[in-house]
Amino acid sequence: MAKKTIRDAQVKDKRCFVRVDFNVPMKEGRITDDSRIRAALPTIEHLISHGAKVILASHLGRPKGKVVPELRLDPVALRLGELLGRKVVKLSDCVGPEVGAYVSGMSPGSVVLLENVRFYPGEEKNDPDFARDMASLADIFVNDAFGAAHRAHASTAGIAAYIPAYAGFLMEKEVAALGKLMENPERPFTAVIGGAKVSDKLAVLKNLLDRVDNLLIGGGMANTFLLAQGHSVGKSLAEPSMVEEAREILEKASKGGTKVLLPVDVVVAAAPEAGMPAKVVDVQGIPEDMMALDIGPATRKAYVAVVGESKTVFWNGPMGVFEVEPFRGGTLEMAAALAGVRGFTVVGGGDSLSAVEMSGLSDKIDHLSTGGGASLEFLEGRELPGVSVLLDKN
Ligand code: ADP
Ligand code: MG
């Protein structure tokens, strides 16, 4: 269902509590990738230019309800200030009288960043008192943290019980793009699923099975499907405990008319390390002492052909150990295939996004989902708490 966004809200002179996902990767106190901060800029800039008082809140890392000095949000406030070209005040708490006093003195168009909300145990417990304390700081709630929307926490869901809740632009964009895959995708609709393990992606595989025309399976998880087909996979990463599930997926697909493609050849080596001698073998001939680390050329050709004929493509999970040079060919060819699709393409997943970035083709993909876990849960067909609490558009 469509949700109200900040375009539908009266924000002038209003205190807006904006939940963002500033859970950025850090190394020795420095931000190593600021794309999550950049992703929230359209919402923040809209609120500033419409005269709102912008109160930003986020989590960072896993402090587990205690103050962890290394997980304070000061470096984030600094970087955000640089990106916005204006001062971003950082407070050392996220609730309490001092925060309240600061916030009531804010002028329209100013921006403040609260402290890491996960310093309080009430955040992950979705404690109503903590949610109410945060809500008391503001007139409206804006949720732009799609990456945290699958969690029912105080600052992503609980707070909406006390003040009206609107989607920010990143939230709106994610829900629209992923929603397009779930409702009325243009056909043929192809899902490309790879990555390490079947067990990580079982729910999404099952839900997509009924919705797609083609399901292409690669990466480490393909090995479990190869086991289900009766092949030996040598020393490859595989999950024998998931073989039965894999077999059921293949059976269900053939009954439902969904075309499932599995690798017919793979790149094998003794270990996923650079400089290892690698070779291509058919899936019938994976040597006992070797690991399948990428899809082979015949498989790539078949997959690329299916993707090329598709009107909608969703891709999650690399086709091989793309971090290591001799095993990234299948993943890079898949990125190129998606880039060439004349239709709607979505890529989700942390490693998959790095792979697309590596290919240099990011701008040829229609939607790069920043959500990770949230995108997968959305495609599992689950309702995300951080989305369902938002006001309906009606
Ligand atoms: P994403 O983060 O995009 O959701 P995953 O985390 O599920 O993707 O999977 C990515 C990981 O899967 C990568 O680290 C990659 O090295 C690994 N992987 C892909 N193919 C294989 C394989 N054949 N054997 C072992 N690991 C693999
Ligand atoms: Mg990953």
Side-chain angles (χ1 to χ4, degrees):
M1 176 172 302
K3 296 295 185 178
K4 286 197 177 176
T5 76
I6 45 177
R7 265 185 238 96
D8 305 310
Q10 287 295 336
V11 301
K12 192 169 161 41
D13 298 329
K14 295 277 167 60
R15 295 166 302 160
C16 300
F17 184 103
V18 188
R19 178 56 158 99
V20 286
D21 179 6
F22 285 168
N23 184 29
V24 289
M26 308 256 285
K27 212 173 196 171
E28 284 147 19
R30 293 172 54 107
I31 297 165
T32 55
D33 177 358
D34 65 1
S35 33
R36 284 186 171 164
I37 305 177
R38 290 173 186 275
L41 292 178
T43 292
I44 299 170
E45 277 163 351
H46 173 94
L47 293 172
I48 293 171
S49 67
H50 286 74
K53 304 169 182 176
V54 185
I55 306 159
L56 300 168
S58 179
H59 74 285
L60 176 64
R62 298 176 180 275
K64 304 239 167 82
K66 285 198 295 278
V67 175
V68 176
E70 304 82 73
L71 295 177
R72 288 195 181 276
L73 283 166
D74 301 68
V76 173
L78 255 167
R79 184 71 192 119
L80 176 63
E82 287 165 12
L83 292 169
L84 287 173
R86 64 164 60 221
K87 190 171 166 56
V88 174
V89 173
K90 158 70 182 38
L91 302 184
S92 51
D93 206 338
C94 54
V95 286
E98 278 170 39
V99 176
Y102 183 88
V103 161
S104 30
M106 281 174 79
S107 47
S110 61
V111 184
V112 66
L113 176 61
L114 304 180
E115 189 53 278
N116 193 339
V117 288
R118 286 197 189 163
F119 285 177
Y120 283 86
E123 168 62 5
E124 293 188 76
K125 287 192 190 122
N126 196 7
D127 173 40
D129 293 334
F130 182 58
R132 196 183 341 95
D133 287 347
M134 287 190 287
S136 72
L137 300 172
D139 305 298
I140 71 167
F141 171 54
V142 175
N143 195 354
D144 212 23
F146 180 74
H150 56 318
R151 308 281 184 227
H153 291 171
S155 71
T156 61
I159 185 171
Y162 306 99
I163 45 177
Y166 298 86
F169 293 141
L170 174 63
M171 178 69 84
E172 180 189 33
K173 198 169 104 189
E174 288 276 6
V175 170
L178 297 172
K180 210 164 145 179
L181 299 178
M182 301 291 271
E183 298 146 27
N184 264 322
E186 230 194 303
R187 297 189 179 273
F189 177 13
T190 297
V192 184
I193 307 289
K197 295 202 248 151
V198 176
S199 50
D200 291 341
K201 313 255 162 103
L202 194 62
V204 80
L205 275 172
K206 282 185 173 164
N207 192 46
L208 286 174
L209 200 58
D210 301 330
R211 300 171 181 270
V212 299
D213 302 294
N214 309 296
L215 177 60
L216 312 185
I217 297 179
M221 77 154 69
N223 300 327
T224 302
F225 283 88
L226 294 177
L227 283 179
Q229 285 186 319
H231 300 301
S232 149
V233 298
K235 290 207 152 47
S236 305
L237 172 72
E239 293 171 285
S241 64
M242 284 286 139
V243 166
E244 206 38 57
E245 294 275 9
R247 201 171 281 137
E248 271 169 34
I249 287 173
L250 294 176
E251 258 166 41
K252 203 167 158 226
S254 84
K255 280 195 199 122
T258 304
K259 204 164 135 193
V260 178
L261 268 67
L262 289 170
V264 293
D265 60 349
V266 288
V267 178
V268 296
E273 286 156 26
M276 278 283 152
K279 61 177 182 183
V280 175
V281 297
D282 288 344
V283 291
Q284 290 84 357
I286 300 175
E288 278 310 311
D289 56 347
M290 292 206 159
M291 307 170 93
L293 297 167
D294 195 5
I295 55 173
T299 307
R300 293 176 201 177
K301 199 169 164 206
Y303 285 16
V304 165
V306 171
V307 167
E309 286 163 8
S310 302
K311 286 282 189 296
T312 306
V313 184
F314 171 68
W315 178 23
N316 170 274
M319 296 290 99
V321 181
F322 75 103
E323 296 92 336
V324 187
E325 201 279 325
F327 314 113
R328 71 174 58 131
T331 300
L332 293 182
E333 281 191 40
M334 186 54 73
L338 261 82
V341 166
R342 270 182 299 190
F344 183 60
T345 50
V346 178
V347 179
D351 292 295
S352 307
L353 291 191
S354 326
V356 170
E357 194 103 323
M358 192 185 272
S359 75
L361 295 166
S362 301
D363 60 340
K364 298 267 186 337
I365 306 292
D366 292 300
H367 183 68
L368 300 169
S369 181
T370 55
S375 336
L376 286 182
E377 286 201 20
F378 192 102
L379 295 175
E380 283 166 20
R382 289 209 247 168
E383 228 184 278
L384 307 185
V387 177
S388 43
V389 297
L390 303 174
L391 293 170
D392 291 328
K393 206 147 198 165
N394 54 54

